[in-house]
Amino acid sequence: MILINCPYCGERDQTEFACHGEAHIARPTDTASLTDEQWGDYVFFRTNPKGIHYERWVHVHGCRRWFNAVRHTVQDEILATYEVGAPRPDVGGQQ
Amino acid sequence: MAELNPVLHTPLQHATFHGAGVVMGENLFCAKVIVRGNFDDAQLTSRLSEQAGLPVNVAANTFVENDSAAVFWLGPDERMIYSYAKEPQVLLAELRSVMPAGRSSAVDVSDYYTTIRVGGVNARKVLSAGTPFDVHGSNFPEGSCVQTRFGTASVMLVMQDSSPAFDIQVRWSFAEYVWRYLRRVAEFRTLTPQS
Ligand SMILES: [Zn+2]
């Protein structure tokens, strides 16, 4: 059983949550001048790292709030959770 | 005000169950309104508290209750308000009258949810068979309410008193599922004390 620390509710079982992919991806503002390649990058391409990954999560069965998490994709360990809009937290320089 | 008829409008027709150290029953119908707004706004909070008859600035995962109402924390900007005395539309109108237009909302969800009371010596065992949340008294004291999972249903668990007695708030369409799940666990042989 993995516990995830919801920034609003505290530690809860992972089955209360859902992950929705990479965080900190801003929608382009100059959409009219974007090339197909740039649109493709925004819509389809993700960093897919082996190691530290910044992700969007939602506390589906709890407070239903969105938040971000830092997860290690090999160990599946969640190193930090933080509110949407907050900067990437320092997780000790791990890669 | 029209006479409130609490016998109507519930998905389980006030079913009851007694056995294996578990006492269960569906609670009477009551008015339920979800309020969303900025609860850091002292003016809004005090006006809403006045209408609800209880403080609405409750801490995370807690609730407050008196004979006529209850306020549950649902999120940093969201509360569930029950009234045991008022018609839903009356409660809704009273709350809306003090809320700034466009920056907050109140929605009548009286018919969207029902609550099931689970008590008795084996109540914790029955609950823990369906939820990943730790309902032990050290983690879930009186006055707590948490939104979690029971089976596949999203529910709000409410710690009413340490006798123990819990309320499970569940959506209408999942009420029968949760009720049957609870009964099935309560009737399970290993729950009864060995003779
Ligand atoms: Zn939460």
Side-chain angles (χ1 to χ4, degrees):
Chain A
M1 182 164 121
I2 293 177
L3 294 175
I4 297 175
N5 188 36
C6 170
Y8 307 103
C9 301
E11 284 196 338
R12 297 293 184 84
D13 186 73
Q14 62 170 334
T15 59
E16 292 184 11
F17 298 85
C19 179
H20 287 258
E22 190 169 357
H24 299 286
I25 295 175
R27 183 183 170 86
T29 49
D30 53 341
T31 52
S33 61
L34 241 50
T35 65
D36 285 353
E37 190 178 356
Q38 286 169 317
W39 263 122
D41 280 352
Y42 163 67
V43 175
F44 299 112
F45 288 89
R46 299 294 179 260
T47 56
N48 192 26
K50 180 178 181 181
I52 300 295
H53 193 220
Y54 297 83
E55 300 172 331
R56 300 162 73 230
W57 285 72
V58 60
H59 194 182
V60 180
H61 290 288
C63 61
R64 301 179 313 289
R65 262 51 181 187
W66 289 84
F67 62 92
N68 292 338
V70 193
R71 187 175 64 91
H72 196 290
T73 58
V74 179
Q75 299 155 356
D76 199 25
E77 183 184 352
I78 291 183
L79 301 160
T81 54
Y82 55 105
E83 292 181 21
V84 172
R88 287 179 169 84
D90 180 13
V91 288
Q94 293 190 56
Q95 282 303 315
Chain B
M1 192 179 98
E3 187 73 19
L4 188 65
N5 188 346
V7 182
L8 299 174
H9 321 300
T10 70
L12 299 171
Q13 282 80 46
H14 310 291
T16 57
F17 171 83
H18 187 112
V22 180
V23 183
M24 301 192 325
E26 186 186 24
N27 292 339
L28 297 181
F29 175 84
C30 71
K32 306 174 190 74
V33 172
I34 288 178
V35 172
R36 295 196 71 170
N38 177 12
F39 292 100
D40 294 330
D41 178 343
Q43 191 182 44
L44 175 65
T45 301
S46 76
R47 285 175 172 177
L48 281 173
S49 300
E50 206 173 296
Q51 294 299 330
L54 285 165
V56 297
N57 51 341
V58 288
N61 301 321
T62 68
F63 74 102
V64 288
E65 188 174 38
N66 62 24
D67 289 341
S68 56
V71 176
F72 304 86
W73 183 91
L74 297 185
D77 61 352
E78 190 171 13
R79 302 287 183 273
M80 172 74 82
I81 299 177
Y82 283 7
S83 173
Y84 305 121
K86 294 169 187 166
E87 288 280 0
Q89 59 270 34
V90 174
L91 176 64
L92 186 66
E94 287 178 357
L95 293 170
R96 279 188 178 164
S97 70
V98 298
M99 295 171 71
R103 300 207 308 280
S104 54
S105 74
V107 179
D108 175 12
V109 291
S110 309
D111 291 312
Y112 189 52
Y113 293 100
T114 190
T115 53
I116 299 167
R117 173 67 57 95
V118 183
V121 290
N122 282 332
R124 273 184 224 281
K125 285 186 188 169
V126 170
L127 279 189
S128 58
T131 178
F133 186 79
D134 180 4
V135 293
H136 189 270
S138 61
N139 190 56
F140 196 42
E142 264 180 52
S144 305
C145 66
V146 296
Q147 297 160 93
T148 181
R149 204 167 53 70
F150 192 86
T152 57
S154 287
V155 298
M156 178 169 71
L157 300 181
V158 180
M159 182 24 152
Q160 284 288 356
D161 68 66
S162 49
S163 61
F166 302 92
D167 278 341
I168 304 176
Q169 179 195 270
V170 59
R171 293 188 173 89
W172 181 295
S173 55
F174 269 101
E176 190 175 349
Y177 165 79
V178 168
W179 178 262
R180 284 169 182 256
Y181 196 134
L182 290 164
R183 269 199 67 153
R184 187 78 180 268
V185 176
E187 287 167 342
F188 200 60
R189 198 172 61 87
T190 54
L191 265 190
T192 54
Q194 298 297 313
S195 55

